[in-house]
Amino acid sequence: MLTNESLAQIDREIAKYPAEQKQSAVMSALRIAQQEKGWLAPETLEFLATYLGMPTIAVYEVASFYNMYDLKPVGAHKLTVCTNISCQLQGVDAVVAKIQAKLGIGFGETTADGRFTLKEGECFGACGDGPLCLHNNHTLHTRLTPDNVDAFLEGMK
Amino acid sequence: MPLVTIDNKEIEVPAGTSVIEAAQQLGIYIPHFCYHKKLSIAASCRMCLVEVEKAPKPLPACATPVADGMKVKTRSQYAIDAQKGVMEFLLINHPLDCPICDQGGECQLQDIAVGYGGVESRYAEAKRVVSEKDLGPLVATDMTRCIHCSRCVRFGQEIAGQMELGMPGRGEHVEVMPFLESQVNNELSGNIIDLCPVGALTSKPFRYHARGWELSRRLGVSPHDSLGSNLTVQVKDGRVQRVLPADNEAVNEGWLSDRDRFAYQGLYADDRLTVPMIKDNGRWIEVDWATALAQAAGALRVLKETHGGDALGFVASPAATVEELHLLQKLARSLGSSQIESHPLERSAGRGQARWLGMPVAKVNTLDRILLVGSTLRSEQPLLAARVRAAVKASAELSILHAANDTQNCAVANAVIAAPSQWLAALTEIEQALKGASASAEAQAIAASLKSGANKAVVLGAVAQIHPQADALHTKAAAIAAACGATLGFLPVGANSVGAAVVKAQSGDVFAAPRKGYVLLGLEPELDCVDGAAAMQALATAECVVGLTAYKGRAPEYATVLLPIAPWAENEGGLVNMEGRLQTFNAATRCQGEARPAWKVLRVLGNQFGLEGCDFDTVAAVRAEALPDGWLEGLNNAAPAVDLGAAVAGAIEWLAETPIYAVDAVTRRASALQATAMAAAPVATANASLLARLGGKTTLRVRQAGLAVELAVRQDDRLADGVLRIAAGHPHTVSLGARMGVLEVEA
Ligand code: SF4
Ligand code: FES
């Protein structure tokens, strides 16, 4: 299911907890699996459940709680825009409207060419620099406006 | 101990008690949804908010431990405001569809909204809608009504030991659901219906049948396993509409297995026998009771006079009541017959001995070490399995000897998985290991486990009791128990197996040599006997078969007289459960048609023969005679004196268990239970290497003695090598003959 490198990484995470607390490694295991597979398919969740000795539904609970985990395939560029209150107050709605118009997709959708996915995010904890957009779970873009969105998207071509 | 004041009443409670529990002891009710005395604390609903002096905000009573000098107010304006606020939030997304909701009238949300909520909602926006989940044939869902108390989820995790439901999602998107499209299959799943404080989870078979207030309630005792769960039988229009648990901490702890809960549907099967019938020149005709009884008595009398009393065999279900079995054996003995069978699913020569759990049921939770021999516990005794799980959670070590390493509901410390013919050897090794002799690693591990710990038990299950070497296994298990200071226990097969033995309704071997005449009480011989095929053959050659039965089933094939008797909800009497507890019950509904309680039928039959001492007026009078003072002393698990002969081994051994929903005539007719995955048509399962030896086929033609049976094959590597697991107690597998035998597979 997963490559030996991924399994070795997961094993390293498991080793951080007492043997009977293996399931504490579930978040890391999900991250590692998603890194390899691009997204978390049901089979991947089932595999991890068996690997960690926990019920599949419990793995699914974790995977569906955090929005950095993708339970559907995503495009090459996953954009997660915060729509919580602070970003809202700083005008994120206009930014979102611009992105949506430009890419022709709504939240939770992927462009036909498979390049962009747009997701709705929860507070990233950097409200002072809002509106915020997280690129592929790792790079945070700050202070977006309807005007700088174009340049921001161009940079991802 | 901390002294707390709740609503100006003082109470001293042990440290660690929560405010809600302390209040309960004072008789003060604090509204709550997620709190349940048998589940962990989630503190997720916030309905139990109370005012605590000096606390800066209202605190959840369920999750707040008492502290010395604490002053709690549950009805102050501050507390009431908090409760009103929570109620308003809970109702924001609740559909308020009470008129079409099955929970209406018995809904905690309804009651608490009336008692603690506001009159109007200020919420006018759109409500959230949650898509329906298909949880299978037993539990209906309306998930939009869910208030996310997580009781159903915690029940699976904590009590059943199988987490089938979870709460994926976050915030407003949280939904209670199983993973993907799976259904809820756990054998205790019906309890989530009782736990759900709203109408999100309701009983599918009961759906839209009645309102709670239209139902009359009677206490009952479940006849489907030897725990004897206490029931509240709910009746409307003379029909059982629903079965709920009745609280009895010592027996079922307020839970029910799905079998206890849903088997009632079988009472209304199409083939209920409601009128006496006799076979007249090959045709079945309906007659009145007098004619049928006279015919039955006449035929039996002729047989007795020409062939002697032992030409008559008497066979009863081990779920028949104490009174019925007492009268049956009395009838048999006075006709000079010693051929009485009430343990038809056991192989022990001494099955007339009243073997029991050896300890109170409640003590199972406190065991430290358990060795379970030949028991498919979760299907034999589902709620006892929950107690074993509770013991294991509290640090007990469970060891098992079985032919299948099934998924248990708890951690298994040690398992010996071996073909049944190897079980005696496996027990012998454990005994050796206990004595310090050399033995296999598994035997050593089990011995080491059994040597430690204070409260221990060695328990023999239904498979051990139907095993060809049942007596030898008993002897060895007794030796192990003696060597490690454990209690020896049995899991009696039927609801009244213990009672049947106590009233001496067991002697002889009824089907071993076919009899001229038979009297059958409440069982379907082809499905309820060690060798159903042989039983059917014996019945086919008999001249007279009097069937006291609630169902026609296949009885018209072999019977000559059919007498309609009352199944459990229409019957009255007593059952002795696995711990030797006599539990009595009255009829919950009137009998259907002409059916009568079997004790009355047997009494009249006795009168027909002019038997002395058959003039009982009440069932209690029969019981008083059946169970004289001191009857409990008859319970006895002592090992019989047997020669530990060699096992009958063969290349393919039949692991023949009764599936969970095939244990008796009523359950086999309960439509919702029969629609579950656990009641699927029998297949043959075997491990990879046996399958390879059998040529890797997808279907097999299997036989023992009689006709071959064709079965689909599945691989299951949890089985010991050389074992073919095929469900018994199913019409399709009757012709395989004696259970636990050696099978042949046709090429
Ligand atoms: S379905 Fe019922 S028991 Fe389960 S979380 Fe919802 S309200 Fe609670
Ligand atoms: S009962 Fe206390 S928070 Fe739910």
Side-chain angles (χ1 to χ4, degrees):
Chain A
M1 178 92 222
L2 296 177
T3 60
N4 286 338
E5 292 89 273
S6 296
L7 290 179
Q9 286 182 48
I10 294 176
D11 289 341
R12 197 161 59 233
E13 297 297 333
I14 292 175
K16 294 180 182 169
Y17 305 96
E20 70 285 359
Q21 305 277 321
K22 247 167 124 181
Q23 60 184 55
S24 303
V26 64
M27 290 184 63
S28 312
L30 286 166
R31 172 176 49 76
I32 293 161
Q34 176 166 301
Q35 196 73 29
E36 180 191 323
K37 297 268 174 193
W39 65 291
L40 295 166
E43 306 81 67
T44 314
L45 299 180
E46 267 161 4
F47 172 82
L48 290 177
T50 319
Y51 201 78
L52 298 169
M54 59 193 287
T56 315
I57 183 71
V59 177
Y60 185 61
E61 284 183 333
V62 177
S64 60
F65 186 88
Y66 297 102
N67 64 8
M68 280 174 152
Y69 297 127
D70 295 310
L71 296 167
K72 284 194 285 184
V74 291
H77 301 286
K78 184 179 72 164
L79 307 176
T80 312
V81 186
C82 172
T83 55
N84 285 180
I85 186 75
S86 310
C87 284
Q88 236 174 54
L89 294 173
Q90 296 175 83
V92 77
D93 287 351
V95 175
V96 167
K98 186 77 189 281
I99 297 178
Q100 288 182 338
K102 192 134 171 96
L103 299 179
I105 52 173
F107 279 128
E109 291 174 1
T110 300
T111 52
D113 60 5
R115 294 190 62 242
F116 288 98
T117 296
L118 187 61
K119 279 186 101 175
E120 202 170 9
E122 313 297 332
C123 183
F124 299 134
C127 311
D129 289 327
L132 301 164
C133 173
L134 188 65
H135 176 226
N136 283 351
N137 284 353
H138 282 99
T139 326
L140 191 62
H141 296 266
T142 56
R143 298 178 197 271
L144 297 176
T145 63
D147 299 331
N148 67 16
V149 156
D150 282 329
F152 160 68
L153 288 177
E154 287 307 310
M156 287 174 199
K157 284 263 155 83
Chain B
M1 290 209 294
L3 178 77
V4 285
T5 313
I6 304 176
D7 291 351
N8 296 322
K9 288 189 208 159
E10 285 190 345
I11 186 170
E12 233 182 309
V13 287
T17 309
S18 63
V19 171
I20 206 168
E21 286 160 350
Q24 211 153 30
Q25 290 176 30
L26 282 171
I28 296 168
Y29 174 77
I30 298 176
H32 58 270
F33 295 111
C34 67
Y35 168 79
H36 189 277
K37 63 176 191 283
K38 300 253 179 229
L39 300 174
S40 64
I41 301 297
S44 60
C45 73
R46 300 278 140 176
M47 192 63 228
C48 63
L49 290 179
V50 291
E51 177 179 359
V52 177
E53 224 175 75
K54 299 204 193 83
K57 55 180 185 172
L59 296 181
C62 68
T64 307
V66 294
D68 197 33
M70 189 183 242
K71 290 205 164 52
V72 179
K73 292 181 193 146
T74 74
R75 299 304 290 148
S76 64
Q77 195 53 47
Y78 186 74
I80 287 173
D81 285 347
Q83 290 159 358
K84 276 220 162 76
V86 169
M87 197 68 233
E88 189 172 5
F89 270 121
L90 283 171
L91 292 182
I92 275 183
N93 274 318
H94 188 81
L96 299 172
D97 56 346
C98 309
I100 56 153
C101 174
D102 248 26
Q103 193 88 347
E106 47 186 19
C107 174
Q108 271 177 284
L109 188 65
Q110 235 178 8
D111 294 349
I112 295 177
V114 170
Y116 301 85
V119 180
E120 263 169 19
S121 172
R122 289 174 290 173
Y123 185 79
E125 290 76 8
K127 292 191 180 222
R128 167 185 115 112
V129 173
V130 181
S131 67
E132 240 28 279
K133 311 289 182 286
D134 177 11
L135 298 187
L138 304 179
V139 182
T141 66
D142 288 273
M143 295 319 284
T144 302
R145 297 176 187 148
C146 172
I147 57 163
H148 312 102
C149 69
S150 83
R151 278 183 178 184
C152 55
V153 176
R154 282 176 285 148
F155 176 81
Q157 283 175 304
E158 294 164 18
I159 308 291
Q162 185 181 10
M163 186 182 176
E164 292 180 297
L165 292 174
M167 288 176 114
R170 174 171 177 170
E172 214 204 10
H173 305 291
V174 163
E175 290 183 22
V176 168
M177 60 164 87
F179 184 61
L180 297 179
E181 302 287 284
S182 47
Q183 300 188 337
V184 166
N185 284 316
N186 188 275
E187 63 279 3
L188 306 179
S189 69
N191 291 300
I192 61 178
I193 298 168
D194 298 342
L195 286 173
C196 184
V198 302
L201 305 174
T202 50
S203 161
K204 213 174 243 184
F206 174 65
R207 192 157 234 224
Y208 304 141
H209 278 238
R211 286 294 187 191
W213 60 83
E214 301 174 302
L215 299 165
S216 65
R217 283 142 211 263
R218 290 282 161 76
L219 292 179
V221 179
S222 175
H224 310 296
D225 60 33
S226 57
L227 184 68
S229 291
N230 290 198
L231 310 174
T232 305
V233 185
Q234 301 193 320
V235 178
K236 183 189 160 196
D237 302 334
R239 268 175 86 104
V240 177
Q241 304 284 350
R242 180 167 68 171
V243 169
L244 296 176
D247 249 333
N248 188 341
E249 253 336 275
V251 179
N252 52 312
E253 304 176 278
W255 306 125
L256 282 187
S257 67
D258 289 355
R259 190 166 60 193
D260 298 332
R261 184 185 299 269
F262 295 111
Y264 72 88
Q265 281 191 301
L267 296 171
Y268 306 103
D270 292 338
D271 70 338
R272 261 302 289 272
L273 180 72
T274 51
V275 188
M277 298 178 83
I278 58 173
K279 201 168 180 178
D280 182 40
N281 284 325
R283 272 182 40 250
W284 280 101
I285 52 172
E286 299 187 348
V287 293
D288 58 22
W289 269 102
T291 313
L293 287 164
Q295 171 106 358
L300 293 173
R301 185 178 296 121
V302 170
L303 289 176
K304 172 200 146 73
E305 274 157 17
T306 43
H307 304 283
D310 271 349
L312 302 177
F314 295 79
V315 194
S317 154
T321 64
V322 164
E323 298 81 356
E324 291 163 358
L325 290 161
H326 174 65
L327 290 174
L328 185 75
Q329 64 84 24
K330 207 168 167 175
L331 182 66
R333 294 213 157 84
S334 57
L335 289 173
S337 173
S338 60
Q339 298 301 317
I340 314 159
E341 174 71 78
S342 57
H343 290 65
L345 279 177
E346 292 168 44
R347 269 238 178 67
S348 160
R351 58 193 183 277
Q353 185 181 329
R355 286 175 291 203
W356 65 301
L357 187 60
M359 64 191 128
V361 165
K363 202 181 155 215
V364 171
N365 301 51
T366 66
L367 290 171
D368 302 312
R369 301 289 181 266
I370 306 165
L371 171 60
L372 201 55
V373 180
S375 172
T376 315
L377 190 61
R378 288 177 63 183
S379 59
E380 286 172 23
Q381 315 281 354
L383 281 175
L384 198 78
R387 285 189 184 264
V388 169
R389 173 179 159 76
V392 170
K393 265 178 76 179
S395 84
E397 284 176 21
L398 172 65
S399 304
I400 61 171
L401 169 59
H402 203 291
N405 198 6
D406 289 333
T407 314
Q408 304 292 334
N409 56 3
C410 61
V412 176
N414 307 290
V416 176
I417 303 303
S421 62
Q422 307 303 312
W423 289 5
L424 184 58
L427 288 182
T428 308
E429 281 218 45
I430 297 170
E431 189 197 10
Q432 299 288 330
L434 277 169
K435 290 185 180 150
S438 68
S440 70
E442 290 112 334
Q444 296 283 10
I446 293 180
S449 165
L450 288 175
K451 268 188 195 158
S452 54
N455 297 320
K456 318 169 209 192
V458 177
V459 182
L460 293 139
V463 190
Q465 294 173 65
I466 202 172
H467 191 285
Q469 292 172 293
D471 283 325
L473 293 175
H474 181 177
T475 307
K476 268 295 159 212
I480 291 174
C484 66
T487 307
L488 179 67
F490 278 80
L491 298 172
V493 178
N496 195 29
S497 290
V498 178
V502 168
V503 303
K504 307 209 165 41
Q506 174 66 51
S507 67
D509 209 343
V510 175
F511 291 119
R515 310 283 150 189
K516 297 276 182 213
Y518 284 98
V519 176
L520 304 179
L521 172 62
L523 84 171
E524 297 185 281
E526 74 278 19
L527 304 172
D528 290 327
C529 294
V530 170
D531 188 342
M536 287 300 269
Q537 238 159 31
L539 292 166
T541 56
E543 286 169 30
C544 161
V545 177
V546 179
L548 281 75
T549 173
Y551 301 98
K552 288 187 189 145
R554 286 179 67 183
E557 289 174 34
Y558 52 75
T560 46
V561 179
L562 286 175
L563 305 176
I565 57 166
W568 65 271
E570 299 161 24
N571 201 5
E572 54 185 346
L575 301 169
V576 179
N577 82 351
M578 60 169 77
E579 61 177 355
R581 175 189 294 263
L582 170 68
Q583 302 192 99
T584 61
F585 56 91
N586 294 322
T589 68
R590 59 179 176 272
C591 295
Q592 280 183 57
E594 301 277 298
R596 292 291 171 267
W599 76 269
K600 290 187 179 167
V601 178
L602 289 164
R603 181 192 62 186
V604 179
L605 211 49
N607 290 338
Q608 297 265 336
F609 289 107
L611 300 184
E612 298 280 313
C614 259
D615 299 318
F616 300 99
D617 287 335
T618 62
V619 73
V622 185
R623 185 156 60 235
E625 181 180 286
L627 300 175
D629 285 348
W631 64 271
L632 265 171
E633 255 118 79
L635 307 192
N636 173 14
N637 284 347
V642 286
D643 144 36
L644 306 181
V648 268
I652 306 173
E653 296 179 35
W654 179 17
L655 174 57
E657 300 138 300
T658 312
I660 184 166
Y661 301 140
V663 290
D664 53 35
V666 182
T667 311
R668 286 190 285 261
R669 287 169 173 79
S671 49
L673 290 177
Q674 294 308 319
T676 61
M678 280 189 280
V683 296
T685 52
N687 72 2
S689 65
L690 177 59
L691 284 187
R693 294 204 293 282
L694 294 176
K697 298 203 201 72
T698 53
T699 61
L700 291 180
R701 286 181 58 79
V702 185
R703 68 160 82 237
Q704 181 168 209
L707 297 172
V709 168
E710 187 161 310
L711 292 156
V713 187
R714 300 248 169 77
Q715 182 176 332
D716 184 350
D717 289 328
R718 298 173 305 177
L719 287 166
D721 196 28
V723 171
L724 203 54
R725 182 184 226 176
I726 302 170
H730 189 281
H732 188 59
T733 56
V734 170
S735 53
L736 285 178
R739 299 197 196 181
M740 305 295 288
V742 173
L743 298 174
E744 285 165 44
V745 171
E746 290 183 3

